[in-house]
Amino acid sequence: MTKDADTQREKTSHRLNPTMAELIELRLSRRGFVGGVMAASTLAASGCASMAKSTTPKSSFQFDEILRGTDETHHVPEGYTADVLIRWGDALFEDSPEFDPLNQTAEKQLRQFGVNNDYIGFIPLDTSDGDEARGILCVNHEWSTTSMLFPGVAENYPDSVTREICEIELASMGGTLVEIVKRDGDWSVVIPSTYNRRITAGYTPMTVTGPAAGHDRLKTSDDPVGKTVAGTLYNCAGGVTPWGTYLMAEENIHGYFSGELPEGHREERNYKRFGVPGDWYPWGRHIDRFNISKEPNEPNRFGWIVEVDPMAPDTKPKKRTALGRCKHEGAESVVAKNGQVVLYSGDDERFEYVYKFVTASKFNPDNRDANMNLLDEGTLYAARFDADGTMEWLPLVYGSGPLTEENEFYSQADVVIEARHAAKLMGATEMDRPEDIEPDPTSGRVWVMLTNNNRRKEDDTNAANPRAENLHGHIIEIIETDGDFTSTKSRWEFLVKCGDPDDPAFGAVWNPMTSENGWFGSPDNCAVDPDGRLWVATDGNNRTGGADGIWAMETDGPLRGTGRAFFRGPEGCEICGPRFTPDSKTLFVSVQHPGDSRENSFENPLTRWPDFNDNMPARSAVLAIQRKDKGKVGS
Ligand code: FEO
Ligand code: CA
Ligand code: CA
Ligand code: CA
């Protein structure tokens, strides 16, 4: 046996020899599949590899895994295509100017697809005219990677950032709604379309609704009423509601503010916890409202879930304050058995919380208009995960428990503005950066992506976040009692603990049947496909030596806890927004900030994906992934 073969065997045997504790931890047995798994792993451990192989259960995914690795471009399995649907700077309107990266202006950007696409929603449209498929794509543009987007900025950042650049950034972030159609197997953008619309960080007026609307803490010089905000910041993931509206989650909004709060200001506690001012960008030098010395309340007008009606392009987006204010990753929803709507949201920060919101009223499937303000009334909960595998959803309601004047909560407005502090006082569990959370309507389960936490120490681990210096994150499964998404007492378990299962330093836990390519690190966005299967996109898998990508995850049966590598992006990117069409024949994927790293710039990207043209910077883009034989993706 060669040395290489020995090494290979060592690696493989580690994967095939999980400890009993690990197997129990994965709780495979709870699903009644213990026989199959134990049989396979015990046989393998005893050296009967061929017998173990013969019992290898059938995967629910039918595609050949791609290989781990990193290079300048993207990869899909054999038999699949991945076509660029739309890129930063592409046209949305008949009068959209051609993208010219050396001569960009805010005015041009307002007519073009934005930067750093993240969340993708798909609202199906009528196909009675014979098209294969048609819909409105709802895409978030998360943030500005300034030195990658603008020529000549990297060297003297932030002094090199002019007011004009700030204004272009304000036009480039936010969201895009764009009609797309599939003909002869190919997707394309529809221009003109009455649905095409840009929503921006700086210029789109939005109405504030819910408990914090009109509150003193939201009033500014521009808006003395506290009910109208110009724009939406740092739109990360999001959601599409059962009534077909598009939700944009505002995440790292603190980074855009600079300045200093006046001494003794009411917002000291609030902003300290939120990291305001983050000073990531020099906008406050040029634009007063991003300088908290001048406009101390402006940060309270961001950090919300924003609801947009794709069918009514003339209506103002609404900031739904009842869902609380934090660094919302997303807002995926589900209709509970009794008709109430439940939305899940992670607060993406180390040691912050998992939330859900349950509407007071029920979804009306027969009258869309009746649902349009459902998100203004309901109960916001934060999660406490207990060591015995149970959990409790803790209501954040003014006047109950510690949420009173004694702790400077004077109304529900204060509770939602400082949702983090309210959740802390109620005893919610400090998590390892909760990112996307996806409910599965068929099984009553909810998958929670916890991306990583490099600041957790040995003495502050907890049952649901058990690893100190958790570099690669984990996935938790919530089992809502009796499949009732409104329940307040539920159960939880791990799906996987991410990272390399061959490196004991990380304490990763995967199903022992996971392949060399099937494990990953830093889960971020996820999607449940129309067949109820989980797909996970990563942001930070590069720390494991491979590019970020998408893995299909087994959540049931003997293979529960195995991943399967489906897609990987070009170097420097993160992967966001996986979204299946209702027929499962297309998977839309966001490739965000390709070619980016701390050392790289507009002039010197890691890759010039997807154009590979020396005159073009690397450009974020949405891909449409399909099977060459026109079948369902992954089946
Ligand atoms: Fe915007 Fe938490 O990723
Ligand atoms: Ca994300
Ligand atoms: Ca999602
Ligand atoms: Ca992330």
Side-chain angles (χ1 to χ4, degrees), residues 118 142 236-237 251 329 348 435-436 524-525 539 574 576:
D118 196 300
E142 189 182 28
C236 189
E251 195 195 31
E329 174 73 18
D348 182 4
E435 300 247 29
D436 206 1
D524 186 328
N525 284 178
D539 170 18
E574 68 173 273
C576 315

Side-chain angles (χ1 to χ4, degrees), residues 307-321:
E307 185 175 19
V308 180
D309 185 356
M311 309 310 289
D314 295 331
T315 54
K316 282 185 190 169
K318 295 185 171 64
K319 297 206 175 193
R320 300 294 191 184
T321 65

Side-chain angles (χ1 to χ4, degrees), residues 332 436 438 526-527 579:
E332 300 281 8
D436 206 1
E438 194 87 34
C526 61
R579 172 66 52 198

Side-chain angles (χ1 to χ4, degrees), residues 49-60:
S50 61
M51 288 175 71
K53 200 173 176 187
S54 71
T55 63
T56 300
K58 191 170 181 289
S59 167
S60 18

Side-chain angles (χ1 to χ4, degrees), residues 121-127 132-137 180 182 187 240 528-533 579-588 631-633 635:
F122 181 80
I123 313 281
L125 293 174
D126 180 63
T127 52
E132 287 170 59
R134 180 181 285 272
I136 305 171
L137 211 63
I180 57 172
K182 184 176 165 187
W187 286 97
V240 169
V528 175
D529 72 17
D531 292 316
R533 301 177 303 179
R579 172 66 52 198
F580 288 86
T581 49
D583 62 7
S584 278
K585 290 186 175 179
T586 304
L587 171 59
F588 295 112
K632 286 162 70 170
V633 171
S635 296

